[in-house]
Amino acid sequence: MNPFHFQSVPPPHPLGPPQFPMLPPDPPNSSLFWQNRNVCEHLRELQDILNLAKAMQKELEMLMMIKDGKVSLEDVKHGSNEPYLPGFLECLQDRRVNIESQESLAVEAANYLMSKLRSQLEPFRYVANEVSPWEEKSAAAKFANKVYKSKRNKRWRKKKRKRIAEMLAKEREEFHCIDREADEWRAREISKDVANCKVEKMKEIAKIKAKEEKRKLEAEVNFLFVQMTGKSLLNCGLC
């Protein structure tokens, strides 16, 4: 017994299931397809379709798990290995859609996506075919060569920017080195000047001290001379 079987309530104005447009099995191929902008847009659409296909695959897997009874309501309440399963079941309950109806819509949407995917891949398959016209292969080869040249030019510009950046960094380093050496030389010269000034001041101070010592010595000599002269005169007078 399926624990997730919901009874759908029909709306006041019932609508039929969504009708997806049918795609031609073999879209026309032309060398005009291999224009740069056209191919980029085509690849972008192809990536979107692949993302939708992955999401649709996940939805179908969850529907199969619910339908086969591999998960129960208790598993969903207490946590499941599928993180999106509780939200998916809540969405079905809010919309009052049963599993069979949702599965039918999902299968129809998946078939449409597969048809769309085949249509998007057809130009590439057409070129890979051995019996395809040489004009088509030539256009694809020109596009591939253009892409290769574009990537090569990007790599070359990247290397050039890197080389220029390295040269500028080297020049800045050399400039900083020269500037640092100049600062060191300037500091040494200033230190020499300061040392020379100190030496000159010390010499001047030494000269001043020498002069003062000389004056003191002369004063003492004169004083002694005066004393000795006075004593001599005194002795002569006594005689």
Side-chain angles (χ1 to χ4, degrees):
M1 181 177 180
N2 189 359
F4 302 109
H5 186 80
F6 309 121
Q7 295 295 329
S8 61
V9 178
H13 300 283
L15 299 175
Q19 298 295 327
F20 298 102
M22 297 300 295
L23 298 173
D26 294 318
N29 294 278
S30 173
S31 59
L32 296 177
F33 170 80
W34 298 101
Q35 299 294 329
N36 189 18
R37 182 177 299 178
N38 188 24
V39 174
C40 291
E41 183 66 25
H42 195 84
L43 291 176
R44 188 160 44 247
E45 292 178 0
L46 182 60
Q47 184 63 48
D48 294 339
I49 294 174
L50 289 175
N51 294 335
L52 289 175
K54 290 180 181 179
M56 186 58 61
Q57 179 185 4
K58 192 66 177 177
E59 180 179 347
L60 289 173
E61 289 176 355
M62 289 189 293
L63 287 171
M64 291 299 296
M65 291 175 62
I66 297 171
K67 189 175 180 181
D68 295 341
K70 293 182 179 180
V71 292
S72 62
L73 185 60
E74 294 297 327
D75 294 335
V76 176
K77 289 181 178 179
H78 294 88
S80 173
N81 294 331
E82 295 292 337
Y84 302 106
L85 187 57
F88 179 67
L89 291 174
E90 184 178 355
C91 179
L92 292 180
Q93 288 178 345
D94 293 340
R95 294 171 54 197
R96 306 297 296 173
V97 178
N98 57 33
I99 301 299
E100 288 75 11
S101 299
Q102 184 64 28
E103 183 182 13
S104 176
L105 292 174
V107 170
E108 187 175 357
N111 290 332
Y112 168 74
L113 286 177
M114 292 303 297
S115 176
K116 182 71 173 176
L117 184 60
R118 284 192 294 268
S119 174
Q120 293 293 101
L121 292 175
E122 183 62 23
F124 305 101
R125 186 197 65 79
Y126 187 73
V127 171
N129 194 347
E130 295 181 356
V131 297
S132 60
W134 68 269
E135 294 88 350
E136 194 74 19
K137 292 185 177 181
S138 176
K142 288 180 180 178
F143 175 77
N145 190 29
K146 186 183 296 184
V147 172
Y148 171 76
K149 288 182 178 179
S150 177
K151 291 182 178 180
R152 183 190 61 187
N153 292 336
K154 286 181 179 179
R155 288 194 300 267
W156 180 82
R157 286 193 294 268
K158 184 178 180 180
K159 290 181 179 179
K160 184 179 180 180
R161 289 194 298 267
K162 183 179 179 181
R163 185 167 60 253
I164 293 175
E166 290 176 351
M167 291 175 59
L168 293 176
K170 186 177 180 180
E171 289 179 358
R172 285 194 296 268
E173 182 63 25
E174 291 177 353
F175 174 78
H176 291 325
C177 182
I178 294 173
D179 190 54
R180 185 168 55 252
E181 291 177 355
D183 291 339
E184 292 175 355
W185 176 84
R186 192 180 301 109
R188 288 195 299 269
E189 293 298 321
I190 292 173
S191 299
K192 288 181 181 179
D193 293 340
V194 172
N196 292 332
C197 290
K198 288 183 178 180
V199 171
E200 293 297 330
K201 287 183 179 180
M202 291 176 66
K203 288 181 179 180
E204 291 179 0
I205 292 172
K207 288 180 181 179
I208 293 172
K209 287 184 177 180
K211 289 180 180 180
E212 290 179 354
E213 292 293 333
K214 184 178 180 180
R215 283 196 298 269
K216 287 182 180 180
L217 184 60
E218 289 177 351
E220 291 178 356
V221 170
N222 290 332
F223 179 73
L224 292 174
F225 179 75
V226 170
Q227 285 185 346
M228 291 177 65
T229 303
K231 287 182 179 180
S232 298
L233 292 174
L234 182 61
N235 291 330
C236 290
L238 292 175
C239 293

